[in-house]
């Protein structure tokens, strides 16, 4: 009998303002990679609370997601798979952000064109896919999730 499939549950947030998107710059295995503010769901934490926490840790911003872009399944390798809940938030202006997490080198507000140019430095293909889905108005209300811990 094979071992049960257990993908990592992660959250991310597309944060948009004035045709720019907030990305975090992190050092992974000696290389700079770019991602939305994102991370893993912790024990006894709701999915929305995980998003709020990760955004605050990685950007220093205390903000609430407006809705859900989509839920993505991504297999990075035979041993590493993810189910990623990607939220969104649209801001009136690009806020100054300072990471609290020491793993995050900096944050950057980038245009879609600038992000496409960084394609080889994106943490995963989901970074671009989530932004494209957001731009195509793939957006759902938070009420679609029942994230109450029962």
């Amino acid at each position: 009998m094979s071992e049960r499939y257990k993908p990592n549950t992660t959250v991310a947030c597309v944060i948009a303002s004035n045709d720019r998107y907030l990305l975090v710059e992190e050092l992974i295995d000696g290389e700079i990679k770019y991602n939305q503010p994102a991370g893993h769901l912790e024990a006894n934490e709701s999915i929305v609370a995980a998003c709020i926490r990760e955004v605050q840790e990685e950007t220093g911003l205390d903000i609430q997601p407006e809705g859900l872009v989509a839920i993505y399944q991504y297999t990075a390798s035979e041993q590493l798979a993810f189910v990623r809940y990607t939220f969104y938030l649209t801001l009136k202006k690009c806020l100054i952000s300072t990471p609290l997490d020491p793993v995050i080198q900096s944050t950057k507000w980038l245009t879609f064109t600038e992000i496409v140019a960084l394609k080889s430095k994106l943490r995963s293909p989901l970074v671009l896919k989530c932004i494209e889905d957001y731009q195509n108005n793939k957006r759902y209300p938070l009420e679609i999730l029942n994230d109450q811990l029962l």
Side-chain angles (χ1 to χ4, degrees):
M1 182 178 204
S2 64
E3 189 175 325
R4 179 178 277 197
Y5 178 68
K6 296 178 185 176
N8 292 281
T9 302
T10 61
V11 296
C13 194
V14 173
I15 302 174
S17 180
N18 300 313
D19 295 323
R20 294 186 175 276
Y21 300 91
L22 184 60
L23 294 188
V24 298
E25 184 181 83
E26 48 193 337
L27 191 60
I28 301 172
D29 299 328
E31 290 185 56
I32 294 292
K33 296 288 182 181
Y34 294 89
N35 197 6
Q36 281 95 14
H40 292 264
L41 178 69
E42 294 182 358
N44 301 312
E45 181 177 51
S46 76
I47 295 165
V48 174
C51 177
I52 294 166
R53 176 185 53 77
E54 287 292 347
V55 168
Q56 186 170 41
E57 288 176 1
E58 295 194 358
T59 69
L61 300 175
D62 187 14
I63 51 182
Q64 308 277 325
E66 292 173 26
L68 187 72
V69 175
I71 301 168
Y72 302 88
Q73 186 172 346
Y74 174 65
T75 303
S77 69
E78 212 171 287
Q79 296 80 25
L80 190 59
F82 300 89
V83 173
R84 183 190 212 216
Y85 292 77
T86 301
F87 296 89
Y88 72 89
L89 174 64
T90 307
L91 300 172
K92 291 182 184 185
K93 64 179 186 172
C94 297
L95 299 175
I96 296 171
S97 57
T98 305
L100 304 176
D101 186 337
V103 173
I104 305 301
Q105 305 292 301
S106 68
T107 60
K108 297 194 182 308
W109 286 99
L110 301 170
T111 65
F112 183 73
T113 303
E114 291 169 327
I115 295 168
V116 170
L118 291 171
K119 195 170 186 176
S120 66
K121 294 184 178 200
L122 299 180
R123 177 121 188 223
S124 83
L126 290 179
V127 176
L128 204 51
K129 174 69 173 145
C130 294
I131 294 171
E132 289 170 339
D133 286 347
Y134 171 83
Q135 289 179 328
N136 289 320
N137 292 315
K138 193 172 191 183
R139 302 177 196 172
Y140 303 94
L142 289 177
E143 293 78 28
I144 197 169
L145 297 171
N146 179 354
D147 77 335
Q148 301 301 309
L149 300 176
L150 302 177

